[in-house]
Amino acid sequence: MSEHGFNSRGLSAVVTAVVSWGVLIVISRILVAGYGLNPWVLSFIQMAVGGAAMIVAAGPGRFPLKAMRHPHTWVYGSLRVLTAATLTAALAYATSAEISVLSALFIPIGILLAWGLFGRRPAPADAFGSLVILAGIAGVAAGLPGGLAGTAATLMAVSAGATALCTAIAEMHPENRGDDRKTRLRLTGAAMLATAVLMLAAALTVSHFDPDGLVATHVPLEAAADPRVWIAGVLVGVLVRGPSTYFTFRAIRMVGSENYLMGVALMPALNLSGEFLASAFGLLPEPALSGATLAAGALGIAGAVAIATLRWRARAAQAA
């Protein structure tokens, strides 16, 4: 596409990516909370095996050495690790529902990055929607320990910034500027393998220098010996995480990084619906949410939907 923006094909690509990530998150939560699998080991296996599966799915051809050599690939992987680390650390100070609301900060950051990096100037509607989103975030952050300057809010600001920048890097990646399916499959595999390598390197380094610290405690060696985590990691990595990452690269290519992030803002609602469904089958406890958190989450989603809707209408008016 020569111009990034919402159209029917782009919207379909975003919906596919967001729904696939929602399914992945709910399945992973069931495996972690319901069956006691280690989340870090599970995520590493999903990344490594899912990445390898994407390379195999690309079929005969060059091994993705070109994608692995690009600095974009390793910057992307580093930002993915930073996002996961800060989000996980924030869960010690806030509930998963509160974290979901705070993570919507990546939308206004993504809009600013799209302006600064790609020259896509925000419209007045973008500013209005961003203010609505920020109001919802501030409402939740104010009720957490330390308020807006507290640890949870700070960690999630870093996480949201890393998410927005990671998405922009995915758009900038030289291997994601075309529409060749095999090239994107190899890029997906390379990005996932790079993330897995960096995740493992970070965990080993931190554990070495702080053997009794948080990382060593939460990633014990015996967790990797659990056959269940390998079976689940391989299956989910190949069937869900690999395709989800591919769909993400495709959606970002089609609609632009900031438009993709607006779709991601709907993920808390999808995750909540999935958790209620899982609880009905006894796979997870029923989610418990305060009225304030629900209101703030609804406000954030409303802001994202408002921006996306007004952008869609503007594009339709230009095409008319």
Side-chain angles (χ1 to χ4, degrees), residues 186-222:
R186 294 189 181 102
L187 167 61
T188 301
M192 293 179 72
L193 288 173
T195 304
V197 168
L198 291 166
M199 182 185 296
L200 179 61
L204 290 175
T205 301
V206 174
S207 297
H208 174 74
F209 288 104
D210 189 12
D212 298 318
L214 186 66
V215 173
T217 302
H218 283 79
V219 194
L221 290 177
E222 56 268 23

PDB file of all heavy atoms in Angstrom, residues 186-222:
ATOM      1  N   ARG A 186       9.870 -15.203   6.715  1.00  0.00           N
ATOM      2  CA  ARG A 186      11.265 -15.291   7.174  1.00  0.00           C
ATOM      3  C   ARG A 186      11.592 -14.168   8.155  1.00  0.00           C
ATOM      4  O   ARG A 186      12.320 -14.378   9.126  1.00  0.00           O
ATOM      5  CB  ARG A 186      12.209 -15.268   5.978  1.00  0.00           C
ATOM      6  CG  ARG A 186      12.075 -16.497   5.080  1.00  0.00           C
ATOM      7  CD  ARG A 186      13.175 -16.566   4.030  1.00  0.00           C
ATOM      8  NE  ARG A 186      12.985 -17.737   3.174  1.00  0.00           N
ATOM      9  CZ  ARG A 186      12.469 -17.706   1.948  1.00  0.00           C
ATOM     10  NH1 ARG A 186      12.118 -16.547   1.417  1.00  0.00           N
ATOM     11  NH2 ARG A 186      12.317 -18.813   1.242  1.00  0.00           N
ATOM     12  N   LEU A 187      11.063 -12.980   7.905  1.00  0.00           N
ATOM     13  CA  LEU A 187      11.255 -11.874   8.840  1.00  0.00           C
ATOM     14  C   LEU A 187      10.628 -12.211  10.194  1.00  0.00           C
ATOM     15  O   LEU A 187      11.241 -11.980  11.242  1.00  0.00           O
ATOM     16  CB  LEU A 187      10.615 -10.600   8.279  1.00  0.00           C
ATOM     17  CG  LEU A 187      10.461  -9.439   9.273  1.00  0.00           C
ATOM     18  CD1 LEU A 187      11.809  -8.990   9.808  1.00  0.00           C
ATOM     19  CD2 LEU A 187       9.706  -8.280   8.625  1.00  0.00           C
ATOM     20  N   THR A 188       9.433 -12.769  10.164  1.00  0.00           N
ATOM     21  CA  THR A 188       8.761 -13.159  11.410  1.00  0.00           C
ATOM     22  C   THR A 188       9.611 -14.146  12.182  1.00  0.00           C
ATOM     23  O   THR A 188       9.809 -14.000  13.403  1.00  0.00           O
ATOM     24  CB  THR A 188       7.387 -13.785  11.102  1.00  0.00           C
ATOM     25  OG1 THR A 188       6.581 -12.846  10.386  1.00  0.00           O
ATOM     26  CG2 THR A 188       6.679 -14.188  12.380  1.00  0.00           C
ATOM     27  N   GLY A 189      10.121 -15.162  11.492  1.00  0.00           N
ATOM     28  CA  GLY A 189      10.963 -16.154  12.154  1.00  0.00           C
ATOM     29  C   GLY A 189      12.222 -15.546  12.728  1.00  0.00           C
ATOM     30  O   GLY A 189      12.611 -15.835  13.865  1.00  0.00           O
ATOM     31  N   ALA A 190      12.873 -14.672  11.947  1.00  0.00           N
ATOM     32  CA  ALA A 190      14.109 -14.031  12.413  1.00  0.00           C
ATOM     33  C   ALA A 190      13.849 -13.168  13.635  1.00  0.00           C
ATOM     34  O   ALA A 190      14.624 -13.180  14.602  1.00  0.00           O
ATOM     35  CB  ALA A 190      14.709 -13.190  11.287  1.00  0.00           C
ATOM     36  N   ALA A 191      12.758 -12.381  13.613  1.00  0.00           N
ATOM     37  CA  ALA A 191      12.438 -11.501  14.735  1.00  0.00           C
ATOM     38  C   ALA A 191      12.129 -12.303  16.001  1.00  0.00           C
ATOM     39  O   ALA A 191      12.554 -11.930  17.108  1.00  0.00           O
ATOM     40  CB  ALA A 191      11.250 -10.609  14.374  1.00  0.00           C
ATOM     41  N   MET A 192      11.405 -13.409  15.850  1.00  0.00           N
ATOM     42  CA  MET A 192      11.070 -14.231  17.012  1.00  0.00           C
ATOM     43  C   MET A 192      12.307 -14.916  17.588  1.00  0.00           C
ATOM     44  O   MET A 192      12.486 -14.989  18.809  1.00  0.00           O
ATOM     45  CB  MET A 192      10.011 -15.261  16.633  1.00  0.00           C
ATOM     46  CG  MET A 192       8.655 -14.651  16.290  1.00  0.00           C
ATOM     47  SD  MET A 192       7.415 -15.890  15.827  1.00  0.00           S
ATOM     48  CE  MET A 192       7.087 -16.645  17.430  1.00  0.00           C
ATOM     49  N   LEU A 193      13.183 -15.421  16.704  1.00  0.00           N
ATOM     50  CA  LEU A 193      14.411 -16.067  17.176  1.00  0.00           C
ATOM     51  C   LEU A 193      15.334 -15.057  17.856  1.00  0.00           C
ATOM     52  O   LEU A 193      15.947 -15.362  18.891  1.00  0.00           O
ATOM     53  CB  LEU A 193      15.127 -16.734  16.004  1.00  0.00           C
ATOM     54  CG  LEU A 193      14.462 -18.006  15.450  1.00  0.00           C
ATOM     55  CD1 LEU A 193      15.181 -18.471  14.193  1.00  0.00           C
ATOM     56  CD2 LEU A 193      14.467 -19.119  16.499  1.00  0.00           C
ATOM     57  N   ALA A 194      15.432 -13.851  17.301  1.00  0.00           N
ATOM     58  CA  ALA A 194      16.250 -12.809  17.923  1.00  0.00           C
ATOM     59  C   ALA A 194      15.713 -12.455  19.305  1.00  0.00           C
ATOM     60  O   ALA A 194      16.484 -12.292  20.263  1.00  0.00           O
ATOM     61  CB  ALA A 194      16.280 -11.566  17.031  1.00  0.00           C
ATOM     62  N   THR A 195      14.389 -12.361  19.421  1.00  0.00           N
ATOM     63  CA  THR A 195      13.777 -12.051  20.717  1.00  0.00           C
ATOM     64  C   THR A 195      14.056 -13.161  21.722  1.00  0.00           C
ATOM     65  O   THR A 195      14.377 -12.891  22.894  1.00  0.00           O
ATOM     66  CB  THR A 195      12.259 -11.859  20.557  1.00  0.00           C
ATOM     67  OG1 THR A 195      12.009 -10.834  19.587  1.00  0.00           O
ATOM     68  CG2 THR A 195      11.613 -11.461  21.880  1.00  0.00           C
ATOM     69  N   ALA A 196      13.955 -14.415  21.274  1.00  0.00           N
ATOM     70  CA  ALA A 196      14.216 -15.549  22.170  1.00  0.00           C
ATOM     71  C   ALA A 196      15.667 -15.555  22.644  1.00  0.00           C
ATOM     72  O   ALA A 196      15.950 -15.779  23.829  1.00  0.00           O
ATOM     73  CB  ALA A 196      13.888 -16.862  21.453  1.00  0.00           C
ATOM     74  N   VAL A 197      16.603 -15.292  21.730  1.00  0.00           N
ATOM     75  CA  VAL A 197      18.027 -15.252  22.094  1.00  0.00           C
ATOM     76  C   VAL A 197      18.289 -14.151  23.110  1.00  0.00           C
ATOM     77  O   VAL A 197      18.980 -14.355  24.121  1.00  0.00           O
ATOM     78  CB  VAL A 197      18.885 -15.041  20.835  1.00  0.00           C
ATOM     79  CG1 VAL A 197      20.330 -14.703  21.213  1.00  0.00           C
ATOM     80  CG2 VAL A 197      18.859 -16.287  19.954  1.00  0.00           C
ATOM     81  N   LEU A 198      17.729 -12.970  22.869  1.00  0.00           N
ATOM     82  CA  LEU A 198      17.930 -11.840  23.775  1.00  0.00           C
ATOM     83  C   LEU A 198      17.268 -12.087  25.131  1.00  0.00           C
ATOM     84  O   LEU A 198      17.808 -11.706  26.174  1.00  0.00           O
ATOM     85  CB  LEU A 198      17.385 -10.566  23.142  1.00  0.00           C
ATOM     86  CG  LEU A 198      18.182 -10.051  21.936  1.00  0.00           C
ATOM     87  CD1 LEU A 198      17.389  -8.996  21.174  1.00  0.00           C
ATOM     88  CD2 LEU A 198      19.522  -9.488  22.388  1.00  0.00           C
ATOM     89  N   MET A 199      16.103 -12.726  25.117  1.00  0.00           N
ATOM     90  CA  MET A 199      15.421 -13.054  26.368  1.00  0.00           C
ATOM     91  C   MET A 199      16.260 -14.007  27.209  1.00  0.00           C
ATOM     92  O   MET A 199      16.439 -13.810  28.425  1.00  0.00           O
ATOM     93  CB  MET A 199      14.051 -13.684  26.058  1.00  0.00           C
ATOM     94  CG  MET A 199      13.211 -14.018  27.294  1.00  0.00           C
ATOM     95  SD  MET A 199      11.682 -14.887  26.847  1.00  0.00           S
ATOM     96  CE  MET A 199      10.856 -13.616  25.889  1.00  0.00           C
ATOM     97  N   LEU A 200      16.809 -15.040  26.548  1.00  0.00           N
ATOM     98  CA  LEU A 200      17.641 -16.012  27.256  1.00  0.00           C
ATOM     99  C   LEU A 200      18.927 -15.354  27.764  1.00  0.00           C
ATOM    100  O   LEU A 200      19.333 -15.568  28.921  1.00  0.00           O
ATOM    101  CB  LEU A 200      17.980 -17.168  26.326  1.00  0.00           C
ATOM    102  CG  LEU A 200      18.868 -18.280  26.908  1.00  0.00           C
ATOM    103  CD1 LEU A 200      18.182 -18.946  28.104  1.00  0.00           C
ATOM    104  CD2 LEU A 200      19.197 -19.315  25.836  1.00  0.00           C
ATOM    105  N   ALA A 201      19.548 -14.533  26.930  1.00  0.00           N
ATOM    106  CA  ALA A 201      20.787 -13.864  27.329  1.00  0.00           C
ATOM    107  C   ALA A 201      20.557 -12.932  28.510  1.00  0.00           C
ATOM    108  O   ALA A 201      21.365 -12.890  29.457  1.00  0.00           O
ATOM    109  CB  ALA A 201      21.351 -13.077  26.144  1.00  0.00           C
ATOM    110  N   ALA A 202      19.461 -12.196  28.491  1.00  0.00           N
ATOM    111  CA  ALA A 202      19.155 -11.281  29.593  1.00  0.00           C
ATOM    112  C   ALA A 202      18.913 -12.041  30.888  1.00  0.00           C
ATOM    113  O   ALA A 202      19.411 -11.658  31.962  1.00  0.00           O
ATOM    114  CB  ALA A 202      17.931 -10.441  29.246  1.00  0.00           C
ATOM    115  N   ALA A 203      18.148 -13.143  30.805  1.00  0.00           N
ATOM    116  CA  ALA A 203      17.857 -13.931  31.998  1.00  0.00           C
ATOM    117  C   ALA A 203      19.123 -14.540  32.597  1.00  0.00           C
ATOM    118  O   ALA A 203      19.338 -14.508  33.814  1.00  0.00           O
ATOM    119  CB  ALA A 203      16.842 -15.022  31.667  1.00  0.00           C
ATOM    120  N   LEU A 204      19.992 -15.093  31.736  1.00  0.00           N
ATOM    121  CA  LEU A 204      21.226 -15.710  32.224  1.00  0.00           C
ATOM    122  C   LEU A 204      22.167 -14.666  32.827  1.00  0.00           C
ATOM    123  O   LEU A 204      22.801 -14.913  33.864  1.00  0.00           O
ATOM    124  CB  LEU A 204      21.927 -16.434  31.071  1.00  0.00           C
ATOM    125  CG  LEU A 204      21.236 -17.700  30.550  1.00  0.00           C
ATOM    126  CD1 LEU A 204      21.977 -18.239  29.336  1.00  0.00           C
ATOM    127  CD2 LEU A 204      21.141 -18.762  31.642  1.00  0.00           C
ATOM    128  N   THR A 205      22.243 -13.489  32.205  1.00  0.00           N
ATOM    129  CA  THR A 205      23.131 -12.446  32.697  1.00  0.00           C
ATOM    130  C   THR A 205      22.678 -11.928  34.056  1.00  0.00           C
ATOM    131  O   THR A 205      23.469 -11.813  35.001  1.00  0.00           O
ATOM    132  CB  THR A 205      23.186 -11.270  31.700  1.00  0.00           C
ATOM    133  OG1 THR A 205      23.658 -11.754  30.440  1.00  0.00           O
ATOM    134  CG2 THR A 205      24.115 -10.182  32.198  1.00  0.00           C
ATOM    135  N   VAL A 206      21.394 -11.621  34.170  1.00  0.00           N
ATOM    136  CA  VAL A 206      20.865 -11.101  35.441  1.00  0.00           C
ATOM    137  C   VAL A 206      20.972 -12.151  36.533  1.00  0.00           C
ATOM    138  O   VAL A 206      21.352 -11.838  37.674  1.00  0.00           O
ATOM    139  CB  VAL A 206      19.400 -10.643  35.264  1.00  0.00           C
ATOM    140  CG1 VAL A 206      18.802 -10.247  36.611  1.00  0.00           C
ATOM    141  CG2 VAL A 206      19.321  -9.480  34.287  1.00  0.00           C
ATOM    142  N   SER A 207      20.685 -13.410  36.210  1.00  0.00           N
ATOM    143  CA  SER A 207      20.769 -14.481  37.205  1.00  0.00           C
ATOM    144  C   SER A 207      22.209 -14.698  37.671  1.00  0.00           C
ATOM    145  O   SER A 207      22.456 -15.021  38.842  1.00  0.00           O
ATOM    146  CB  SER A 207      20.214 -15.787  36.628  1.00  0.00           C
ATOM    147  OG  SER A 207      18.847 -15.649  36.306  1.00  0.00           O
ATOM    148  N   HIS A 208      23.167 -14.517  36.769  1.00  0.00           N
ATOM    149  CA  HIS A 208      24.575 -14.703  37.130  1.00  0.00           C
ATOM    150  C   HIS A 208      25.033 -13.653  38.138  1.00  0.00           C
ATOM    151  O   HIS A 208      25.721 -13.968  39.115  1.00  0.00           O
ATOM    152  CB  HIS A 208      25.440 -14.627  35.878  1.00  0.00           C
ATOM    153  CG  HIS A 208      26.916 -14.674  36.155  1.00  0.00           C
ATOM    154  ND1 HIS A 208      27.570 -15.844  36.522  1.00  0.00           N
ATOM    155  CD2 HIS A 208      27.870 -13.693  36.138  1.00  0.00           C
ATOM    156  CE1 HIS A 208      28.848 -15.577  36.720  1.00  0.00           C
ATOM    157  NE2 HIS A 208      29.058 -14.277  36.490  1.00  0.00           N
ATOM    158  N   PHE A 209      24.633 -12.403  37.895  1.00  0.00           N
ATOM    159  CA  PHE A 209      25.083 -11.318  38.780  1.00  0.00           C
ATOM    160  C   PHE A 209      24.208 -11.169  40.018  1.00  0.00           C
ATOM    161  O   PHE A 209      24.626 -10.530  40.991  1.00  0.00           O
ATOM    162  CB  PHE A 209      25.120  -9.993  38.003  1.00  0.00           C
ATOM    163  CG  PHE A 209      26.245  -9.915  37.013  1.00  0.00           C
ATOM    164  CD1 PHE A 209      26.006 -10.079  35.654  1.00  0.00           C
ATOM    165  CD2 PHE A 209      27.546  -9.698  37.429  1.00  0.00           C
ATOM    166  CE1 PHE A 209      27.047 -10.018  34.736  1.00  0.00           C
ATOM    167  CE2 PHE A 209      28.597  -9.633  36.524  1.00  0.00           C
ATOM    168  CZ  PHE A 209      28.346  -9.792  35.167  1.00  0.00           C
ATOM    169  N   ASP A 210      23.010 -11.738  39.976  1.00  0.00           N
ATOM    170  CA  ASP A 210      22.105 -11.662  41.130  1.00  0.00           C
ATOM    171  C   ASP A 210      21.422 -13.021  41.309  1.00  0.00           C
ATOM    172  O   ASP A 210      20.247 -13.178  41.018  1.00  0.00           O
ATOM    173  CB  ASP A 210      21.075 -10.560  40.898  1.00  0.00           C
ATOM    174  CG  ASP A 210      20.242 -10.264  42.147  1.00  0.00           C
ATOM    175  OD1 ASP A 210      20.620 -10.755  43.233  1.00  0.00           O
ATOM    176  OD2 ASP A 210      19.229  -9.550  42.024  1.00  0.00           O
ATOM    177  N   PRO A 211      22.188 -14.014  41.807  1.00  0.00           N
ATOM    178  CA  PRO A 211      21.667 -15.393  41.866  1.00  0.00           C
ATOM    179  C   PRO A 211      20.463 -15.578  42.779  1.00  0.00           C
ATOM    180  O   PRO A 211      19.749 -16.570  42.642  1.00  0.00           O
ATOM    181  CB  PRO A 211      22.867 -16.199  42.377  1.00  0.00           C
ATOM    182  CG  PRO A 211      23.747 -15.200  43.043  1.00  0.00           C
ATOM    183  CD  PRO A 211      23.564 -13.916  42.299  1.00  0.00           C
ATOM    184  N   ASP A 212      20.233 -14.644  43.692  1.00  0.00           N
ATOM    185  CA  ASP A 212      19.083 -14.746  44.583  1.00  0.00           C
ATOM    186  C   ASP A 212      18.019 -13.707  44.262  1.00  0.00           C
ATOM    187  O   ASP A 212      17.105 -13.473  45.053  1.00  0.00           O
ATOM    188  CB  ASP A 212      19.537 -14.562  46.049  1.00  0.00           C
ATOM    189  CG  ASP A 212      20.515 -15.640  46.497  1.00  0.00           C
ATOM    190  OD1 ASP A 212      20.275 -16.817  46.151  1.00  0.00           O
ATOM    191  OD2 ASP A 212      21.515 -15.294  47.153  1.00  0.00           O
ATOM    192  N   GLY A 213      18.137 -13.100  43.099  1.00  0.00           N
ATOM    193  CA  GLY A 213      17.238 -12.014  42.738  1.00  0.00           C
ATOM    194  C   GLY A 213      15.933 -12.479  42.117  1.00  0.00           C
ATOM    195  O   GLY A 213      15.605 -13.672  42.082  1.00  0.00           O
ATOM    196  N   LEU A 214      15.195 -11.488  41.603  1.00  0.00           N
ATOM    197  CA  LEU A 214      13.855 -11.729  41.078  1.00  0.00           C
ATOM    198  C   LEU A 214      13.859 -12.681  39.888  1.00  0.00           C
ATOM    199  O   LEU A 214      13.044 -13.600  39.811  1.00  0.00           O
ATOM    200  CB  LEU A 214      13.226 -10.386  40.665  1.00  0.00           C
ATOM    201  CG  LEU A 214      11.759 -10.417  40.225  1.00  0.00           C
ATOM    202  CD1 LEU A 214      10.869 -10.806  41.394  1.00  0.00           C
ATOM    203  CD2 LEU A 214      11.341  -9.060  39.670  1.00  0.00           C
ATOM    204  N   VAL A 215      14.792 -12.479  38.957  1.00  0.00           N
ATOM    205  CA  VAL A 215      14.820 -13.311  37.747  1.00  0.00           C
ATOM    206  C   VAL A 215      15.149 -14.758  38.091  1.00  0.00           C
ATOM    207  O   VAL A 215      14.491 -15.695  37.628  1.00  0.00           O
ATOM    208  CB  VAL A 215      15.835 -12.757  36.730  1.00  0.00           C
ATOM    209  CG1 VAL A 215      15.994 -13.712  35.550  1.00  0.00           C
ATOM    210  CG2 VAL A 215      15.394 -11.390  36.240  1.00  0.00           C
ATOM    211  N   ALA A 216      16.177 -14.963  38.916  1.00  0.00           N
ATOM    212  CA  ALA A 216      16.560 -16.327  39.298  1.00  0.00           C
ATOM    213  C   ALA A 216      15.437 -17.032  40.042  1.00  0.00           C
ATOM    214  O   ALA A 216      15.226 -18.240  39.879  1.00  0.00           O
ATOM    215  CB  ALA A 216      17.816 -16.278  40.161  1.00  0.00           C
ATOM    216  N   THR A 217      14.674 -16.263  40.820  1.00  0.00           N
ATOM    217  CA  THR A 217      13.559 -16.842  41.582  1.00  0.00           C
ATOM    218  C   THR A 217      12.412 -17.243  40.670  1.00  0.00           C
ATOM    219  O   THR A 217      11.788 -18.297  40.867  1.00  0.00           O
ATOM    220  CB  THR A 217      13.052 -15.837  42.627  1.00  0.00           C
ATOM    221  OG1 THR A 217      14.133 -15.480  43.495  1.00  0.00           O
ATOM    222  CG2 THR A 217      11.913 -16.430  43.445  1.00  0.00           C
ATOM    223  N   HIS A 218      12.136 -16.404  39.676  1.00  0.00           N
ATOM    224  CA  HIS A 218      10.979 -16.646  38.814  1.00  0.00           C
ATOM    225  C   HIS A 218      11.293 -17.530  37.607  1.00  0.00           C
ATOM    226  O   HIS A 218      10.369 -17.973  36.918  1.00  0.00           O
ATOM    227  CB  HIS A 218      10.413 -15.315  38.316  1.00  0.00           C
ATOM    228  CG  HIS A 218       9.611 -14.588  39.356  1.00  0.00           C
ATOM    229  ND1 HIS A 218      10.200 -13.854  40.369  1.00  0.00           N
ATOM    230  CD2 HIS A 218       8.280 -14.494  39.561  1.00  0.00           C
ATOM    231  CE1 HIS A 218       9.272 -13.330  41.137  1.00  0.00           C
ATOM    232  NE2 HIS A 218       8.101 -13.706  40.669  1.00  0.00           N
ATOM    233  N   VAL A 219      12.584 -17.794  37.355  1.00  0.00           N
ATOM    234  CA  VAL A 219      12.938 -18.677  36.243  1.00  0.00           C
ATOM    235  C   VAL A 219      13.880 -19.769  36.768  1.00  0.00           C
ATOM    236  O   VAL A 219      15.047 -19.853  36.367  1.00  0.00           O
ATOM    237  CB  VAL A 219      13.605 -17.899  35.098  1.00  0.00           C
ATOM    238  CG1 VAL A 219      13.642 -18.763  33.833  1.00  0.00           C
ATOM    239  CG2 VAL A 219      12.872 -16.600  34.805  1.00  0.00           C
ATOM    240  N   PRO A 220      13.391 -20.646  37.644  1.00  0.00           N
ATOM    241  CA  PRO A 220      14.252 -21.719  38.152  1.00  0.00           C
ATOM    242  C   PRO A 220      14.570 -22.725  37.064  1.00  0.00           C
ATOM    243  O   PRO A 220      13.774 -22.952  36.148  1.00  0.00           O
ATOM    244  CB  PRO A 220      13.394 -22.346  39.261  1.00  0.00           C
ATOM    245  CG  PRO A 220      11.984 -22.059  38.859  1.00  0.00           C
ATOM    246  CD  PRO A 220      12.023 -20.718  38.185  1.00  0.00           C
ATOM    247  N   LEU A 221      15.753 -23.335  37.160  1.00  0.00           N
ATOM    248  CA  LEU A 221      16.176 -24.293  36.138  1.00  0.00           C
ATOM    249  C   LEU A 221      15.225 -25.479  36.044  1.00  0.00           C
ATOM    250  O   LEU A 221      15.002 -26.021  34.957  1.00  0.00           O
ATOM    251  CB  LEU A 221      17.596 -24.771  36.441  1.00  0.00           C
ATOM    252  CG  LEU A 221      18.712 -23.733  36.239  1.00  0.00           C
ATOM    253  CD1 LEU A 221      20.055 -24.329  36.655  1.00  0.00           C
ATOM    254  CD2 LEU A 221      18.761 -23.271  34.785  1.00  0.00           C
ATOM    255  N   GLU A 222      14.660 -25.889  37.190  1.00  0.00           N
ATOM    256  CA  GLU A 222      13.768 -27.059  37.162  1.00  0.00           C
ATOM    257  C   GLU A 222      12.504 -26.802  36.346  1.00  0.00           C
ATOM    258  O   GLU A 222      11.858 -27.747  35.881  1.00  0.00           O
ATOM    259  CB  GLU A 222      13.393 -27.484  38.577  1.00  0.00           C
ATOM    260  CG  GLU A 222      12.757 -26.423  39.458  1.00  0.00           C
ATOM    261  CD  GLU A 222      13.794 -25.682  40.286  1.00  0.00           C
ATOM    262  OE1 GLU A 222      14.972 -25.665  39.892  1.00  0.00           O
ATOM    263  OE2 GLU A 222      13.397 -25.130  41.332  1.00  0.00           O
TER     264      GLU A 222
END
